[in-house]
Amino acid sequence: MTGYINNIMLNDYGYEYGYITGDDGYSYSFDGRSLFGTIRMENCDFDDEVEFDSIPPTANHKYGRASNVMLIKLKDRFANFQNFSANTPANSKEVIDFFPPGFAVHMNKQDAYKQYLKPFSKEDLIIDKLSQVLYISRIGHHFIDQRSKFEFCLAGTTKVLKQFIHGKSEFLIIFSYFNSNDWQAKNLIVEREIRKRKEISDRRPLVNFYILICNAYSLMQEVEKTKGSTNAAIIPFSFNDILSCSSKEQLESLIVERFGEYLYENNMLGETNAIDDDNLLFGDRGKIADLIVDRCQKNAYSGIFGLRRSGKTSVLKAVLRRFDKSDIKYVKIESRSELENLDSWKTALYDIAKKIRQGSLGIEQDESETRREFTERLKLNSTEDDYYKRPSACFVEDVRLYCKNQSTFVIAIDEIELITFNTAKSRTWQTVEAYCGFWGALRDCGCPLIICGVNSTINELNTISFNSETGDNPMYKRILSCSDFSDTYLPAFTNEQTLYMINTLGGYSNIGFSTVYNEINNAFGGQPYAVRQFCSYAFEKVKKFRKSNEVYEISKATIDNLLTDFQKSSEGSSLCEIILQHVTIFVDEYEMLKKLALSPEKYRKIDNQQIDKIDHLQKYGLINYDPNTMFVSFKIHSIYNYICQKYAKDPIDMTNQERREYIQTHVSECEIKFKTYLCNYYIYNVNGETICRNIMKGYINSASRYKPVKINPKASPIPDPNTCNIREFFDHKKFIMYFSSIKAIIKDNWSSLGTKLESVGITKDKFNLFMDDLNAGRNDADHYDAEDLTVYPEKWMISDTTMQNFENALRNLKQFFELI
């Protein structure tokens, strides 16, 4: 017989079972024992078409049973994501179907009301009303703490929501009823907590919204504050809103109105937190999580490495969710909160062993229990003092003892860059001893490890050398990459994966990227966080152009312009800084990255002797490299633009023309600073004005062919050296003072003007040398005005040595300029 799955539920013991509606119109129950071959319950979903053998009901059972159940047609998986793409071909969608209003056939609502709802709250009356227009499939409650209980329902979409939701899907309805009628801050966190419950996450309710029914006086004002956030949209109703509806039509109208007002306002593209819901896990991240779980069951080590905000913690969370479903024991260690600030790596081992003991026993510390009392209850094999004497031996012995009854016990450590010698901020972890001792113990304890972070040094160096310490790396080449990709750690998204992600998340806000996803993905190298942040930026710029119940497709012209604006914006700069934050630990590679951006004509090919300088740049997906042609290019164009905007090209990599302009610009700055120094010196020193005027008149009236200062013949009016304001002597529009003239004036008056130079170690001879080096071989140095940046000799050639001498002179004179 054929039929379709109409319900899947969880019994009190945590086992899934469901019901199939056969083509004979009758219902048949089934569970994991009913499935044919390798099919499992998690492969089944609502509306999947099946073929099965029917067993008639017996005297003790209302429904028949199904056996040898085979899946013959999966439902449209895009049904869980509204507005997947405005351009999705019609033949890729099945006929849209909705749940009928009412209660799930197998729900005993009176028992559920009695078991889960608050007495006298009228939640039962509201659920009865909602069942006239929605499909109520589950009722439950959730405790945030001992005093805060929230009731909830799972509701199936009916035709009343057809303009908002594509087909049969479930969503959350949360009740917040408190006698005080006050707004509860917990109203904004309970939704995510409920979604984590296994019986809810297995049903995969829609992630982009939930209904909140609340008796707080300030409900609407508080929910209004959440509009535009990156969380799921809240569709708010007061208790009275629903209870006062006198007809089904009035209730339908109210629901449609509220959905229209709140559903599309939030911006889930802009979410910055790690993903903790498989429905929001895009690309191959779910497959990678499955692969890591498989490795752990084989007692292998896995590494989740990648750029900052590339999705590492999201993948780790997905792995842990799979452990929970498979009853695999594990501990997750947060380096930032649990390890970074400890006084010793030995204490860290003790704390991890203690956490493993707790996990193996499956117990938690009671609220009334002190830390010491809880430690005593754990019956630990070694004390903290023992760990200070024999840390590695204690850890290995204890962990093996605590896990002896576990087939698999996994240790997962996040943000390892905080405890790795060359990136740690805490002195505790900045030693080779701490690194080798800590990781050596973890290696020998017998547990599979998951290492998550930016710094992949742990797997790459055979010998550790740091701060004059040396040691063998206990983890060298023991960690497998999180994926099967050879050129990167956490793989970048393909164009198609990016399209699916941004059209799914954008669809929640009625915005589409169906014709521009290639440009977006190329600009950000397939880095999902970066892509989402830009798309969030784009959404904020165009949301005012949306029309009700119609996906607004962003055009290529708009994206091209917004990409330019974003790269110039503070949001764009901040994003690039976040991505590159820890890449800087690989100093040579980071310098090479800058050279690739700033001097592509010189560094577009990388030979085999320099391949080590781009190793991590490839693995992190920042660049593309062709080993055959040795050509290299940027993979993330926004990073290329950021580097070009932030950094200056190394003068050694400049063309001769660029060197001329570079020198001219810096000499101009030096000239202005020297003139400022001279001017201020004579203004603020006793008799300075008289001394200055006499010096300048002497130079101007000198019979010598060489005159350091002369009146600018173009000045209007022509200044009089006897009466002009002495500031005018240092104004190139009034008096001409060549750059070489400044050198002569300071040398001729070194006893007064050279004092401050000598205070920073610049003697008269060094000053003379530095000023010559600043000329950089320019043969008209006695004549040119550095403030005129438009003229220089055509045959002015600047060698590498001349450039290096110029940089040295500039660096030394800048110490003097900082004093003035």
Side-chain angles (χ1 to χ4, degrees), residues 6 156 415 426 457 481 501 522 532 654 710 719 721 788 813 818:
N6 66 33
E415 293 190 286
S426 167
T457 303
S481 173
M501 176 180 71
N522 291 337
R532 289 201 318 271
M654 292 179 180
K710 67 178 182 179
D788 181 357
L813 286 171
E818 289 174 359

PDB file of all heavy atoms in Angstrom, residues 6 156 415 426 457 481 501 522 532 654 710 719 721 788 813 818:
ATOM      1  N   ASN A   6       1.910  11.568   8.101  1.00  0.00           N
ATOM      2  CA  ASN A   6       1.143  12.747   8.551  1.00  0.00           C
ATOM      3  C   ASN A   6       1.561  13.256   9.919  1.00  0.00           C
ATOM      4  O   ASN A   6       1.135  14.315  10.356  1.00  0.00           O
ATOM      5  CB  ASN A   6      -0.365  12.479   8.529  1.00  0.00           C
ATOM      6  CG  ASN A   6      -0.790  11.423   9.539  1.00  0.00           C
ATOM      7  OD1 ASN A   6      -0.208  11.303  10.616  1.00  0.00           O
ATOM      8  ND2 ASN A   6      -1.820  10.647   9.201  1.00  0.00           N
ATOM      9  N   GLY A 156       1.038  23.906  13.035  1.00  0.00           N
ATOM     10  CA  GLY A 156       1.257  23.686  11.612  1.00  0.00           C
ATOM     11  C   GLY A 156       0.595  24.784  10.803  1.00  0.00           C
ATOM     12  O   GLY A 156      -0.448  25.321  11.166  1.00  0.00           O
ATOM     13  N   GLU A 415      38.674  27.775  20.362  1.00  0.00           N
ATOM     14  CA  GLU A 415      39.535  28.968  20.400  1.00  0.00           C
ATOM     15  C   GLU A 415      40.929  28.662  20.943  1.00  0.00           C
ATOM     16  O   GLU A 415      41.438  29.325  21.842  1.00  0.00           O
ATOM     17  CB  GLU A 415      38.885  30.090  21.227  1.00  0.00           C
ATOM     18  CG  GLU A 415      37.622  30.658  20.607  1.00  0.00           C
ATOM     19  CD  GLU A 415      37.126  31.897  21.300  1.00  0.00           C
ATOM     20  OE1 GLU A 415      36.571  31.767  22.411  1.00  0.00           O
ATOM     21  OE2 GLU A 415      37.299  33.005  20.758  1.00  0.00           O
ATOM     22  N   SER A 426      47.899  35.473  27.514  1.00  0.00           N
ATOM     23  CA  SER A 426      48.231  35.178  28.899  1.00  0.00           C
ATOM     24  C   SER A 426      49.634  34.573  28.982  1.00  0.00           C
ATOM     25  O   SER A 426      49.994  33.692  28.189  1.00  0.00           O
ATOM     26  CB  SER A 426      47.216  34.192  29.488  1.00  0.00           C
ATOM     27  OG  SER A 426      47.672  33.660  30.700  1.00  0.00           O
ATOM     28  N   THR A 457      49.114  26.144  13.950  1.00  0.00           N
ATOM     29  CA  THR A 457      50.505  25.784  14.245  1.00  0.00           C
ATOM     30  C   THR A 457      50.599  24.440  14.954  1.00  0.00           C
ATOM     31  O   THR A 457      51.557  23.687  14.769  1.00  0.00           O
ATOM     32  CB  THR A 457      51.156  26.879  15.129  1.00  0.00           C
ATOM     33  OG1 THR A 457      51.067  28.126  14.468  1.00  0.00           O
ATOM     34  CG2 THR A 457      52.612  26.562  15.406  1.00  0.00           C
ATOM     35  N   SER A 481      42.362  17.487   8.901  1.00  0.00           N
ATOM     36  CA  SER A 481      41.561  18.668   8.576  1.00  0.00           C
ATOM     37  C   SER A 481      40.091  18.327   8.673  1.00  0.00           C
ATOM     38  O   SER A 481      39.668  17.186   8.499  1.00  0.00           O
ATOM     39  CB  SER A 481      41.889  19.161   7.164  1.00  0.00           C
ATOM     40  OG  SER A 481      41.031  20.192   6.777  1.00  0.00           O
ATOM     41  N   MET A 501      22.045  30.100   0.717  1.00  0.00           N
ATOM     42  CA  MET A 501      22.107  30.731   2.044  1.00  0.00           C
ATOM     43  C   MET A 501      21.475  32.116   2.039  1.00  0.00           C
ATOM     44  O   MET A 501      20.604  32.420   2.861  1.00  0.00           O
ATOM     45  CB  MET A 501      23.561  30.835   2.522  1.00  0.00           C
ATOM     46  CG  MET A 501      23.713  31.573   3.848  1.00  0.00           C
ATOM     47  SD  MET A 501      25.422  31.679   4.408  1.00  0.00           S
ATOM     48  CE  MET A 501      26.087  32.852   3.224  1.00  0.00           C
ATOM     49  N   ASN A 522      32.198  36.168  -5.025  1.00  0.00           N
ATOM     50  CA  ASN A 522      33.566  36.449  -5.456  1.00  0.00           C
ATOM     51  C   ASN A 522      34.201  37.561  -4.628  1.00  0.00           C
ATOM     52  O   ASN A 522      35.397  37.526  -4.330  1.00  0.00           O
ATOM     53  CB  ASN A 522      33.578  36.842  -6.942  1.00  0.00           C
ATOM     54  CG  ASN A 522      33.248  35.683  -7.844  1.00  0.00           C
ATOM     55  OD1 ASN A 522      33.412  34.527  -7.456  1.00  0.00           O
ATOM     56  ND2 ASN A 522      32.778  35.959  -9.045  1.00  0.00           N
ATOM     57  N   ARG A 532      27.285  37.207   4.533  1.00  0.00           N
ATOM     58  CA  ARG A 532      26.058  37.587   5.245  1.00  0.00           C
ATOM     59  C   ARG A 532      26.110  39.030   5.730  1.00  0.00           C
ATOM     60  O   ARG A 532      25.116  39.755   5.655  1.00  0.00           O
ATOM     61  CB  ARG A 532      25.819  36.663   6.443  1.00  0.00           C
ATOM     62  CG  ARG A 532      25.411  35.257   6.081  1.00  0.00           C
ATOM     63  CD  ARG A 532      24.705  34.565   7.249  1.00  0.00           C
ATOM     64  NE  ARG A 532      25.328  34.807   8.526  1.00  0.00           N
ATOM     65  CZ  ARG A 532      26.297  34.074   9.042  1.00  0.00           C
ATOM     66  NH1 ARG A 532      26.759  33.025   8.370  1.00  0.00           N
ATOM     67  NH2 ARG A 532      26.803  34.361  10.228  1.00  0.00           N
ATOM     68  N   MET A 654      58.581  49.686  -5.252  1.00  0.00           N
ATOM     69  CA  MET A 654      58.049  50.753  -6.102  1.00  0.00           C
ATOM     70  C   MET A 654      58.802  50.850  -7.430  1.00  0.00           C
ATOM     71  O   MET A 654      59.992  50.553  -7.515  1.00  0.00           O
ATOM     72  CB  MET A 654      58.144  52.098  -5.385  1.00  0.00           C
ATOM     73  CG  MET A 654      57.225  52.244  -4.189  1.00  0.00           C
ATOM     74  SD  MET A 654      57.451  53.867  -3.421  1.00  0.00           S
ATOM     75  CE  MET A 654      56.261  53.757  -2.080  1.00  0.00           C
ATOM     76  N   LYS A 710      65.441  83.931  -0.476  1.00  0.00           N
ATOM     77  CA  LYS A 710      65.238  85.095  -1.340  1.00  0.00           C
ATOM     78  C   LYS A 710      63.752  85.427  -1.394  1.00  0.00           C
ATOM     79  O   LYS A 710      62.892  84.558  -1.173  1.00  0.00           O
ATOM     80  CB  LYS A 710      65.790  84.849  -2.724  1.00  0.00           C
ATOM     81  CG  LYS A 710      65.070  83.791  -3.532  1.00  0.00           C
ATOM     82  CD  LYS A 710      65.678  83.645  -4.925  1.00  0.00           C
ATOM     83  CE  LYS A 710      64.922  82.604  -5.746  1.00  0.00           C
ATOM     84  NZ  LYS A 710      65.489  82.472  -7.109  1.00  0.00           N
ATOM     85  N   PRO A 719      57.077  91.408   0.062  1.00  0.00           N
ATOM     86  CA  PRO A 719      57.327  91.650   1.497  1.00  0.00           C
ATOM     87  C   PRO A 719      58.628  92.434   1.725  1.00  0.00           C
ATOM     88  O   PRO A 719      59.571  92.339   0.930  1.00  0.00           O
ATOM     89  CB  PRO A 719      57.425  90.243   2.068  1.00  0.00           C
ATOM     90  CG  PRO A 719      57.913  89.405   0.923  1.00  0.00           C
ATOM     91  CD  PRO A 719      57.300  89.985  -0.306  1.00  0.00           C
ATOM     92  N   PRO A 721      61.716  92.675   4.226  1.00  0.00           N
ATOM     93  CA  PRO A 721      62.367  91.916   5.303  1.00  0.00           C
ATOM     94  C   PRO A 721      62.530  92.710   6.586  1.00  0.00           C
ATOM     95  O   PRO A 721      62.657  92.119   7.662  1.00  0.00           O
ATOM     96  CB  PRO A 721      63.722  91.540   4.706  1.00  0.00           C
ATOM     97  CG  PRO A 721      63.544  91.644   3.234  1.00  0.00           C
ATOM     98  CD  PRO A 721      62.553  92.750   3.011  1.00  0.00           C
ATOM     99  N   ASP A 788      56.652  72.309  -4.056  1.00  0.00           N
ATOM    100  CA  ASP A 788      56.140  72.212  -5.418  1.00  0.00           C
ATOM    101  C   ASP A 788      56.322  70.762  -5.858  1.00  0.00           C
ATOM    102  O   ASP A 788      57.411  70.326  -6.206  1.00  0.00           O
ATOM    103  CB  ASP A 788      56.901  73.152  -6.341  1.00  0.00           C
ATOM    104  CG  ASP A 788      56.382  73.110  -7.776  1.00  0.00           C
ATOM    105  OD1 ASP A 788      55.465  72.302  -8.039  1.00  0.00           O
ATOM    106  OD2 ASP A 788      56.898  73.872  -8.612  1.00  0.00           O
ATOM    107  N   LEU A 813      64.854  61.263  11.399  1.00  0.00           N
ATOM    108  CA  LEU A 813      64.370  62.632  11.531  1.00  0.00           C
ATOM    109  C   LEU A 813      62.948  62.679  12.104  1.00  0.00           C
ATOM    110  O   LEU A 813      62.558  63.663  12.726  1.00  0.00           O
ATOM    111  CB  LEU A 813      64.436  63.349  10.184  1.00  0.00           C
ATOM    112  CG  LEU A 813      65.847  63.743   9.743  1.00  0.00           C
ATOM    113  CD1 LEU A 813      65.849  64.235   8.304  1.00  0.00           C
ATOM    114  CD2 LEU A 813      66.430  64.807  10.668  1.00  0.00           C
ATOM    115  N   GLU A 818      58.744  64.477  16.120  1.00  0.00           N
ATOM    116  CA  GLU A 818      57.784  64.171  17.188  1.00  0.00           C
ATOM    117  C   GLU A 818      57.922  65.126  18.371  1.00  0.00           C
ATOM    118  O   GLU A 818      57.000  65.257  19.185  1.00  0.00           O
ATOM    119  CB  GLU A 818      57.973  62.727  17.658  1.00  0.00           C
ATOM    120  CG  GLU A 818      57.515  61.694  16.627  1.00  0.00           C
ATOM    121  CD  GLU A 818      57.850  60.283  17.050  1.00  0.00           C
ATOM    122  OE1 GLU A 818      58.457  60.131  18.140  1.00  0.00           O
ATOM    123  OE2 GLU A 818      57.529  59.336  16.295  1.00  0.00           O
TER     124      GLU A 818
END
